[in-house]
């Protein structure tokens, strides 16, 4: 049996609330002081982000990427005139393909040659991935970037970026001769293949124009979105210029 002594002094409820709140504020402030005290040993000294201009590309189309780098070291970073793993200053792209096992390492050191990144400064590097890797095989690709500098204890890596390369569907195609006023009689006339290709994206379909031969690709460009019921009309003049009439919104 529990006996209650109603004569015992009872504190008002507001006093309990006031004391409890003061105690919470004190503990929170103590936690913040301890947390801030740990900031100097934080690992992130470079903030990096990699992005592409599209999620799906036509075969032979340029895959343009942007690498944004922000310097949080509190010091200026100058990358050497001869960047590479031997000098502990390098930029590497790590590429994976759904058609190929393993990860491919691509040296992109020329992009940071003589690059100076001031303290607190952000710089954006433009990367044409086709100039560094063969992307002619239709597949799903994943790529990230890794950057290192002698003043940093470790290399820093970006987010992974996924994109697709597709062949598309040919809706029009012609073989053309290349005019040359200086060609001698008996010389073989070189040929080019002009094509209009329909590329399916996630929310739309795009008409693309392609000029190629057996060895090279001369032109890849996007013409406009597909409008149902309006197909492109094509004509060729006397000097092999291709004229395309396409309905657009």
């Amino acid at each position: 049996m529990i006996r209650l002594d109603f004569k015992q002094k009872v504190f008002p409820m507001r006093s309990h609330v006031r004391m409890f709140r003061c105690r919470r504020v004190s503990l929170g402030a103590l936690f913040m002081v301890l947390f801030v005290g740990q900031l100097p040993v934080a690992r992130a000294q470079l903030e990096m982000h990699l992005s592409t201009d599209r999620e799906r590309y036509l075969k032979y189309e340029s895959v343009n990427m942007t690498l944004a780098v922000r310097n949080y070291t509190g010091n200026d970073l100058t990358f050497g005139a001869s960047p590479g793993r031997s000098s502990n200053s390098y930029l590497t792209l790590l590429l994976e393909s759904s058609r190929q096992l393993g990860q491919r390492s691509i040296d992109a050191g020329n992009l940071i040659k003589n690059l100076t990144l001031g303290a607190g400064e952000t710089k954006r590097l433009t990367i044409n991935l086709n100039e560094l890797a063969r992307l002619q095989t239709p597949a799903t690709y994943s790529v990230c970037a890794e950057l290192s500098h002698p003043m940093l204890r470790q290399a820093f890596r970006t987010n992974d970026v996924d994109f697709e390369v597709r062949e598309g569907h040919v809706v029009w195609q012609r073989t053309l001769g290349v005019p040359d006023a200086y060609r001698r009689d008996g010389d073989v006339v070189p040929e080019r293949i002009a094509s209009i290709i329909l590329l399916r994206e996630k929310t739309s379909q795009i008409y693309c124009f392609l000029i190629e031969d057996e060895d090279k690709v001369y032109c890849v460009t996007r013409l406009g979105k597909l409008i149902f019921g309006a197909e492109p009309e094509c004509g060729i003049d006397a000097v092999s210029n291709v004229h395309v009439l396409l309905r657009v919104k």
Side-chain angles (χ1 to χ4, degrees):
M1 179 176 178
I2 301 176
R3 183 178 179 182
L4 299 178
D5 186 3
F6 292 98
K7 295 181 180 181
Q8 184 178 3
K9 186 177 181 180
V10 179
F11 290 98
M13 186 174 294
R14 290 184 179 179
S15 299
H16 281 283
V17 173
R18 189 179 299 112
M19 292 175 62
F20 179 70
R21 287 179 177 174
C22 293
R23 186 171 299 175
R24 286 190 59 188
V25 171
S26 300
L27 291 175
L30 178 61
F31 173 76
M32 291 179 64
V33 171
L34 292 175
F35 178 75
V36 173
Q38 296 299 320
L39 287 181
V41 297
R43 183 174 180 270
Q45 294 180 340
L46 291 182
E47 182 179 274
M48 300 171 59
H49 184 266
L50 187 66
S51 60
T52 58
D53 55 346
R54 298 187 178 100
E55 296 181 359
R56 187 169 293 173
Y57 297 86
L58 182 68
K59 183 180 178 180
Y60 303 125
E61 195 174 14
S62 295
V63 179
N64 295 313
M65 313 193 75
T66 300
L67 174 61
V69 184
R70 183 172 179 83
N71 180 5
Y72 284 108
T73 64
N75 299 273
D76 293 346
L77 297 178
T78 301
F79 295 85
S82 301
R85 288 187 176 272
S86 59
S87 62
N88 295 323
S89 175
Y90 63 86
L91 175 63
T92 302
L93 300 179
L94 304 175
L95 181 67
E96 294 182 359
S97 169
S98 60
R99 295 291 185 89
Q100 187 176 1
L101 296 177
Q103 190 178 64
R104 181 183 174 188
S105 179
I106 304 170
D107 181 15
N110 286 333
L111 297 175
I112 59 171
K113 186 176 181 179
N114 297 322
L115 173 68
T116 298
L117 192 62
E121 184 180 13
T122 299
K123 285 192 175 181
R124 290 172 173 83
L125 307 178
T126 300
I127 304 172
N128 186 344
L129 193 56
N130 303 70
E131 297 178 353
L132 302 173
R134 295 179 60 87
L135 301 174
Q136 287 84 349
T137 303
T140 299
Y141 295 87
S142 180
V143 62
C144 67
E146 187 175 279
L147 180 63
S148 180
H149 188 276
M151 292 174 60
L152 305 177
R153 293 183 178 181
Q154 69 281 318
F156 291 84
R157 184 174 293 189
T158 68
N159 54 299
D160 293 329
V161 176
D162 298 331
F163 63 91
E164 297 179 53
V165 174
R166 294 196 170 188
E167 288 186 316
H169 173 66
V170 178
V171 298
W172 180 89
Q173 190 173 77
R174 292 291 186 276
T175 300
L176 311 173
V178 179
D180 188 353
Y182 300 99
R183 185 171 290 104
R184 299 178 181 177
D185 293 340
D187 290 347
V188 177
V189 177
E191 295 180 343
R192 303 283 189 271
I193 300 175
S195 306
I196 294 181
I197 302 173
L198 190 61
L199 174 65
R200 182 182 296 275
E201 293 193 324
K202 291 185 176 181
T203 58
S204 62
Q205 298 184 69
I206 307 294
Y207 284 115
C208 303
F209 185 68
L210 171 67
I211 298 179
E212 60 182 332
D213 61 16
E214 295 180 353
D215 301 319
K216 298 179 181 179
V217 175
Y218 298 92
C219 172
V220 183
T221 186
R222 297 191 174 202
L223 300 178
K225 293 183 178 181
L226 166 70
I227 298 177
F228 290 98
E231 296 183 356
E233 299 179 13
C234 303
I236 304 170
D237 62 20
V239 290
S240 297
N241 291 319
V242 180
H243 303 265
V244 180
L245 180 62
L246 181 67
R247 180 181 174 185
V248 296
K249 289 184 178 181

